[in-house]
Amino acid sequence: MKLNHICTIFFLFIFFVGFSQLKTITDKTTYPFWIHVPEAEKTEKQPILIFLHGRSLSGTDLNRVKRYGVLRAMEKGREIPAIVVAPQLAKGSWNPDKVLEILEFVQKNYNTDASRIYVCGMSLGGYGTLHFAGKYADKITAAVAICGGGNVKDACTLSTIPLWIQHGDKDFIVPISESKIVVDAIKKCDDNGKLIFSVINGGNHGSVERLFHQDAMYDWLFQQKRESF
């Protein structure tokens, strides 16, 4: 067998093994979603990572959610040691109650670790992440919000969980001031909280998507654990 044929078979094997647990759930919650369940879920409690997309991926075709972010990183070969959940918003803004509905569905139907529940999002999904964390901080462990913003009224609640807010200083779609406003409010509430604010020098609204393809975000998230569980 020629070497190129062997390589093709190898990569097809890796692809199908890696994504054999990726499927859609469209009729159990308000938001339809992709879910990736590691094989280890059969024997070990798994973390949950929820990814909230930006406005450009809204609609009724779930395949759009793969265009960037966590699922795109997985398609490029990133292995994520968690149950990955990626819902789709048809239009408008993310509703924290409907995101919670998905989290509770996953917790009810899969072998999950309640001490390791993570949320991340970009652009509109960054807003969605902070809105969800701002209302249901007691339900999650840590969150990452990229090039989005949040509600100042949620600042004191947000200060109670590990939170990493990231924004490019050349973002002309969602200006960095949107993140700075909520960051300042959180610091005012608790200047010694678990908040990290990273300014990405030269980063524009699209280029910060690279963060989903790097180790730092995942390493930081999965290091966080709620001690109360």
Side-chain angles (χ1 to χ4, degrees):
M1 185 178 293
K2 293 183 179 180
L3 180 60
N4 61 336
H5 290 163
I6 295 175
C7 290
T8 299
I9 292 172
F10 173 77
F11 284 116
L12 285 173
F13 172 79
I14 293 297
F15 179 84
F16 284 113
V17 169
F19 289 90
S20 61
Q21 301 300 315
L22 183 64
K23 65 177 184 178
T24 60
I25 295 180
T26 61
D27 59 351
K28 302 298 183 182
T29 57
T30 304
Y31 294 144
F33 61 93
W34 287 99
I35 185 167
H36 171 82
V37 183
E39 286 292 333
E41 183 264 349
K42 295 177 181 177
T43 56
E44 301 174 6
K45 291 182 180 296
Q46 295 296 302
I48 299 174
L49 174 60
I50 300 173
F51 166 67
L52 302 182
H53 64 72
R55 191 177 304 278
S56 66
L57 303 190
S58 298
T60 56
D61 178 4
L62 266 171
N63 286 312
R64 293 175 66 88
V65 183
K66 293 182 178 181
R67 291 185 179 180
Y68 66 71
V70 173
L71 295 188
R72 179 62 173 159
M74 292 173 66
E75 283 195 330
K76 288 193 168 187
R78 175 166 292 276
E79 295 183 8
I80 298 178
I83 294 174
V84 176
V85 180
Q88 185 180 39
L89 178 68
K91 60 182 180 180
S93 300
W94 289 103
N95 183 319
D97 298 332
K98 294 176 182 178
V99 176
L100 179 65
E101 181 187 18
I102 291 176
L103 173 59
E104 291 179 338
F105 174 85
V106 173
Q107 290 178 311
K108 180 179 179 181
N109 290 280
Y110 297 90
N111 190 19
T112 65
D113 184 348
S115 71
R116 297 183 293 163
I117 308 297
Y118 312 105
V119 185
C120 65
M122 177 176 171
S123 190
L124 182 67
Y127 284 93
T129 295
L130 294 186
H131 292 164
F132 179 67
K135 187 169 185 177
Y136 295 111
D138 60 323
K139 304 290 185 182
I140 65 175
T141 307
V144 174
I146 299 171
C147 64
N151 294 322
V152 170
K153 65 180 179 62
D154 293 333
C156 290
T157 303
L158 291 169
S159 72
T160 65
I161 62 170
L163 182 62
W164 190 359
I165 296 176
Q166 305 183 60
H167 215 122
D169 63 357
K170 301 299 182 184
D171 191 332
F172 302 112
I173 305 298
V174 178
I176 194 171
S177 58
E178 287 291 287
S179 284
K180 286 182 175 179
I181 289 170
V182 71
V183 165
D184 290 344
I186 292 170
K187 288 182 176 180
K188 184 177 181 180
C189 191
D190 184 0
D191 196 36
N192 296 312
K194 300 176 181 178
L195 169 68
I196 301 172
F197 178 44
S198 296
V199 176
I200 303 166
N201 293 326
N204 60 40
H205 197 65
S207 68
V208 295
E209 195 270 343
R210 67 179 182 269
L211 298 171
F212 292 101
H213 303 271
Q214 299 171 353
D215 294 336
M217 182 186 78
Y218 304 100
D219 290 347
W220 180 82
L221 277 173
F222 294 132
Q223 286 171 3
Q224 314 303 320
K225 187 172 182 179
R226 290 178 70 96
E227 299 300 333
S228 58
F229 288 94

